[in-house]
Amino acid sequence: MPYAILRIAKLKKSNIGGSGSHVSRSRQTPNADRSKLADNQTLIHNGDQDLPLGEVVAAKIAAFPQKRKIRIDAVHAVEFLLTASPEYFRPNNPAEYGSYDQERLDRWQQETVNWLRQKYGDKIVRAEIHLDEATPHIHAYLVPIDERGQLNCKGIFGGRTQMCALQDSYAAAMQPLGIERGIKGNTAEHTAVKEYYSKVNEFFGGGIESVIANLQSENAQLTAKLYESVAEADELRTERDELRKQLDEQDREIKVPIAKTQSVKKSREVTI
């Protein structure tokens, strides 16, 4: 059974240019097949597909006056990478690098674009499909403007619960295609030694192509789980930083009345 794969990366202003250059192929990408470069397509845009991604993101933010000065470490865009494990795109030979079934590709592409538009609307400023690498995948960019018109990545993506819900949502959209969700949760499941060798014998009994296909399938599950864990870790770091800021503010609020009290006490002692 093929698996849905979704990961996100939070981009600060300084990171957007590099990500955009990779996706637009304006810089060399060693693992990309240059002969298939023309197969890549921009799927979502506002007539600005020829502009650098940084300019597109900046224009989107500028359209919403911000009540506060944007922090230097603020998240200006969120990059999505969306794909499925290889056996979905090439069921007859998952190990065949760079190949895909056109009908399956078209259905997955349409359902993924529909999901992005229905879930995030015009917050998605660009989406591109890459067909020049091992397995088809889509890069989509979201500008995290909340319902108040403010740049607010945390408000949109929240913590671990919302990240898990995001994975559930995309997997549900892919379910009609026979694509299911990757492993949920972070509990590792260890395979018994006897079961492990049984699987190895089973793989090799089907030939090297079968070995590669099975390994790719298991790798897709682990990749989906890894990306989800990385996103959760990023959210936890953000929550930690926010708590530190709150504690610092509370500490300052406590110190000010104490300092005033001490000042008044000293003043009284001098008067006496």
Side-chain angles (χ1 to χ4, degrees):
M1 177 69 75
Y3 291 90
I5 298 173
L6 178 155
R7 77 166 176 86
I8 68 169
K10 297 174 182 179
L11 305 178
K12 298 177 183 178
K13 186 177 182 179
S14 58
N15 305 134
I16 294 173
S19 179
S21 295
H22 167 76
V23 172
S24 66
R25 297 296 192 252
S26 57
R27 71 179 184 190
Q28 188 174 4
T29 305
N31 58 319
D33 183 347
R34 300 295 295 179
S35 68
K36 295 182 178 181
L37 187 61
D39 295 337
N40 297 342
Q41 301 174 48
T42 303
L43 305 176
I44 296 177
H45 61 84
N46 293 305
D48 50 12
Q49 63 269 37
D50 294 327
L51 292 178
L53 179 63
E55 291 185 22
V56 174
V57 171
K60 182 70 172 180
I61 296 172
F64 296 87
Q66 301 296 296
K67 296 178 180 178
R68 297 181 180 179
K69 182 179 179 181
I70 298 175
R71 301 194 320 269
I72 193 170
D73 62 343
V75 174
H76 284 232
V78 176
E79 178 186 0
F80 287 75
L81 185 144
L82 307 111
T83 184
S85 49
E87 62 267 31
Y88 169 75
F89 295 105
R90 38 183 183 269
N92 296 328
N93 190 0
E96 189 177 355
Y97 184 102
S99 68
Y100 50 85
D101 178 281
Q102 187 64 54
E103 183 178 349
R104 283 174 167 255
L105 172 67
D106 291 343
R107 289 185 65 200
W108 168 80
Q109 175 181 306
Q110 189 59 58
E111 292 299 331
T112 297
V113 169
N114 288 345
W115 178 79
L116 286 168
R117 284 178 167 153
Q118 290 170 9
K119 189 167 183 65
Y120 296 111
D122 63 3
K123 289 185 176 69
I124 301 291
V125 295
R126 182 169 293 175
E128 301 196 25
I129 186 168
H130 282 173
L131 301 176
D132 59 351
E133 296 182 61
T135 301
H137 56 276
I138 290 173
H139 291 270
Y141 293 91
L142 174 148
V143 178
I145 299 293
D146 66 16
E147 66 279 358
R148 298 174 296 113
Q150 300 302 293
L151 195 63
N152 182 11
C153 182
K154 184 179 180 182
I156 294 173
F157 290 95
R160 299 172 67 182
T161 300
Q162 283 179 272
M163 290 306 303
C164 186
L166 178 65
Q167 297 285 348
D168 289 341
S169 174
Y170 182 58
M174 296 299 104
Q175 195 170 13
L177 306 183
I179 301 173
E180 66 180 28
R181 194 193 194 288
I183 301 171
K184 183 181 287 191
N186 294 319
T187 304
E189 294 183 2
H190 298 281
T191 303
V193 173
K194 184 177 180 180
E195 183 183 353
Y196 170 79
Y197 281 108
S198 174
K199 285 188 176 183
V200 170
N201 291 331
E202 179 185 341
F203 288 167
F204 278 98
I208 189 63
E209 291 83 5
S210 179
V211 176
I212 295 172
N214 279 282
L215 289 175
Q216 285 183 325
S217 178
E218 292 195 0
N219 180 62
Q221 295 181 52
L222 293 172
T223 299
K225 180 179 175 182
L226 173 62
Y227 287 149
E228 185 174 338
S229 297
V230 169
E232 290 175 352
D234 187 49
E235 291 296 336
L236 287 173
R237 282 193 292 270
T238 301
E239 291 176 7
R240 178 200 63 192
D241 293 341
E242 289 294 330
L243 285 172
R244 284 179 176 173
K245 289 180 181 178
Q246 291 176 16
L247 288 172
D248 288 342
E249 290 176 1
Q250 290 175 1
D251 188 48
R252 285 193 294 270
E253 290 174 358
I254 291 171
K255 285 180 178 179
V256 170
I258 292 176
K260 289 182 177 179
T261 301
Q262 290 176 341
S263 176
V264 171
K265 184 178 180 182
K266 288 182 179 179
S267 176
R268 289 176 177 174
E269 288 174 353
V270 171
T271 302
I272 292 171

